[in-house]
Amino acid sequence: MHVLIAGAGIGGLTAALSLEQAGIEATVFESVEQIVPLGVGINILPHASRELIALGLKDELDRIAIRTRSMKYFSRRGKLAISVPCGEYAGYNWPQYSLHRGELQMLLLETFRQRAGADRVVAGHQLAGFRQDDNSITATFIDPASKQPLADVTGDILIGADGLHSATRKTLYPDEGAAVYAGMVCFRGAVQGAPYLDGESMVICGDNRLRLVSYPISGRLQANGQSHINWIAAVPFVTDQRQEEDWGKLTRPDNLVELYRDWQFDWLDVPGIISATEQIFEFPIYDRDPLQRWTFGRVGLLGDAAHPLIPVSSSGAVHAIIDGRALASALSGEGDPVAGLKAYEADRLPKANRVVLASRENGPDEVLEVVRNECPDDADNIHDYVGMDRLQAVIDEFKQRSGFAIDTLNNTPSYTI
């Protein structure tokens, strides 16, 4: 079997590595001429970290990443609402990792090149279309700059792991229309500084009016007593004009520090870390309505191409990783590639769609809306107004809906290759 994968992001590369582990040949095609580290910080939750560990990446992850100790939810006044243990600290059998997205992508890329061969990753090839018959599928690739034809490549199946603006999805669903804007813009950055709190926790502060997420992302700096502080400022922005969706869009928003001027807490100086950040990225938040079908004969969708998510509870990269593992497991368990694709879809589509819908409802971050609605803004002790059990129930309900409650995950095997 030969699998063609369009997209060398986290999902596509995890799929390629998992297929290689299963003894299935895969070739990854990426539209950019040079694959370089992109993005800032991401979190890898236990149900995804166990899949990366099964790929033999544990030692490297422990070298470059932070094992996240807890998620701490604070009001916009910096008062602690609830602290939720993460990964092994919560009783999972696997850690939660915080790290730089680009470092994870490069780890997956270099590992796949080492194991499968450097020629199995082809850069500068943009997917332009495909045709299939009963025996094979042929993908057509063009030069991304000139749009001139480059190659027709034939394989047994084609996987579209080509992101929110997936050419594969657009071909399968030509009338779908634009992605759905969530009415929010995220500004993202990372800056080196002194550790705050315990130096290993993720902070979610504020509410839907204004929010900040921050966490450390470098195991290397942690080993030297420093911290690489990743931050995301989520700012509501209502507009009728379409916003540019580009992870690499740099900006220097003049009013961002002013928006967070009063967010100077004894545990973190928010305007201080924003001001000290050299590169700030601007990204409007979009998702798409859930699909009822990902596979069409010999072609299927994976990751953001299949189920782009509003980024609450770090779900995007997590479910792309799980998709890649599930795909390889299904293909290795079925003698026929088309049957394998259908088995992958039957397993992953309903689970991913539940996460898309739960994320639209604010996911576990809804605890901060409970605090906003039921607790006076100047309260010293949130729990005088909102019980801890009430907040914990919101978080537990999201875990149940998303399929990673502790007992459920610990008693469910990872994907066998």
Side-chain angles (χ1 to χ4, degrees):
M1 195 187 304
H2 183 202
V3 179
L4 312 179
I5 300 174
I10 289 171
L13 290 170
T14 300
L17 266 174
S18 301
L19 289 164
E20 189 278 333
Q21 189 180 59
I24 297 173
E25 186 177 86
T27 305
V28 182
F29 297 87
E30 172 55 49
S31 61
V32 301
E33 290 287 349
Q34 185 175 4
I35 304 172
V36 296
L38 294 176
V40 197
I42 57 172
N43 262 261
I44 305 301
L45 305 182
H47 46 320
S49 69
R50 72 172 182 171
E51 301 298 343
L52 296 179
I53 289 169
L55 282 169
L57 302 177
K58 178 177 178 295
D59 289 345
E60 279 299 303
L61 288 170
D62 280 327
R63 184 177 68 85
I64 64 177
I66 299 286
R67 287 194 173 210
T68 315
R69 183 174 294 272
S70 65
M71 294 179 67
K72 299 182 184 296
Y73 292 87
F74 289 86
S75 74
R76 61 191 289 127
R77 300 296 183 191
K79 303 297 183 181
L80 181 65
I82 187 170
S83 179
V84 184
C86 294
E88 63 227 310
Y89 302 105
Y92 289 101
N93 293 337
W94 308 272
Q96 176 172 327
Y97 288 110
S98 298
L99 73 165
H100 194 289
R101 181 200 175 279
E103 286 200 69
L104 176 59
Q105 183 186 14
M106 292 302 104
L107 171 61
L108 295 170
L109 176 65
E110 293 310 316
T111 303
F112 179 63
R113 282 172 168 164
Q114 290 168 11
R115 294 179 183 179
D119 61 331
R120 288 299 167 190
V121 180
V122 184
H125 279 56
Q126 179 180 342
L127 181 68
F130 51 85
R131 60 187 183 275
Q132 58 180 312
D133 55 31
D134 290 341
N135 300 310
S136 64
I137 187 166
T138 299
T140 298
F141 295 95
I142 61 174
D143 181 276
S146 69
K147 306 304 179 185
Q148 294 301 307
L150 287 178
D152 284 352
V153 184
T154 298
D156 291 287
I157 59 173
L158 169 68
I159 300 299
D162 43 352
L164 177 66
H165 302 291
S166 168
T168 317
R169 180 168 175 151
K170 188 173 182 179
T171 302
L172 298 174
Y173 290 92
D175 300 321
E176 182 181 26
V180 180
Y181 178 49
M184 182 169 289
V185 175
C186 282
F187 299 93
R188 308 187 58 147
V191 62
Q192 186 171 336
Y196 61 88
L197 297 175
D198 57 23
E200 296 179 328
S201 288
M202 182 177 185
V203 165
I204 303 97
C205 186
D207 51 51
N208 282 347
R209 295 169 295 180
L210 196 64
R211 186 178 309 174
L212 185 106
V213 179
S214 182
Y215 49 91
I217 58 172
S218 175
R220 297 186 186 93
L221 284 180
Q222 183 193 46
N224 294 323
Q226 291 292 305
S227 183
H228 197 191
I229 302 169
N230 177 81
W231 59 266
I232 306 113
V235 180
F237 184 71
V238 179
T239 178
D240 293 331
Q241 295 183 344
R242 183 147 195 89
Q243 302 295 296
E244 181 183 5
E245 306 145 71
D246 179 3
W247 280 107
K249 180 183 177 182
L250 288 169
T251 186
R252 291 301 306 186
D254 296 333
N255 65 336
L256 191 59
V257 172
E258 182 63 22
L259 284 173
Y260 290 90
R261 176 173 52 85
D262 297 330
W263 293 39
Q264 293 178 313
F265 311 126
D266 57 5
W267 47 271
L268 182 64
D269 179 0
V270 174
I273 63 169
I274 295 174
S275 297
T277 303
E278 293 183 2
Q279 289 190 325
I280 297 177
F281 299 90
E282 177 182 349
F283 190 78
I285 300 303
Y286 288 84
D287 72 357
R288 290 187 182 275
D289 292 332
L291 297 174
Q292 299 308 308
R293 188 176 178 186
W294 291 353
T295 63
F296 293 77
R298 294 177 176 272
V299 61
L301 301 173
L302 183 149
D304 279 354
H307 49 76
L309 296 157
I310 293 173
V312 299
S313 193
S314 311
S315 294
V318 163
H319 286 277
I321 290 167
I322 297 171
D323 285 352
R325 294 286 292 166
L327 173 70
S329 179
L331 290 174
S332 65
E334 297 282 349
D336 175 67
V338 175
L341 270 185
K342 295 302 292 184
Y344 155 72
E345 177 186 73
D347 172 30
R348 288 295 301 149
L349 183 145
K351 297 173 183 175
N353 283 354
R354 284 197 296 270
V355 178
V356 171
L357 297 176
S359 297
R360 285 181 173 179
E361 296 173 6
N362 212 21
D365 294 0
E366 187 63 21
V367 296
L368 295 173
E369 295 309 298
V370 173
V371 170
R372 169 188 176 181
N373 293 329
E374 301 188 17
C375 184
D377 200 40
D378 59 353
D380 283 331
N381 185 2
I382 287 171
H383 305 121
D384 289 342
Y385 302 88
V386 184
M388 187 73 76
D389 290 348
R390 172 85 184 283
L391 301 177
Q392 186 66 54
V394 173
I395 291 166
D396 290 344
E397 193 270 343
F398 177 76
K399 288 184 177 181
Q400 285 290 146
R401 289 180 65 184
S402 301
F404 67 102
I406 296 171
D407 289 343
T408 300
L409 190 62
N410 284 350
N411 291 301
T412 304
S414 58
Y415 285 99
T416 300
I417 307 300

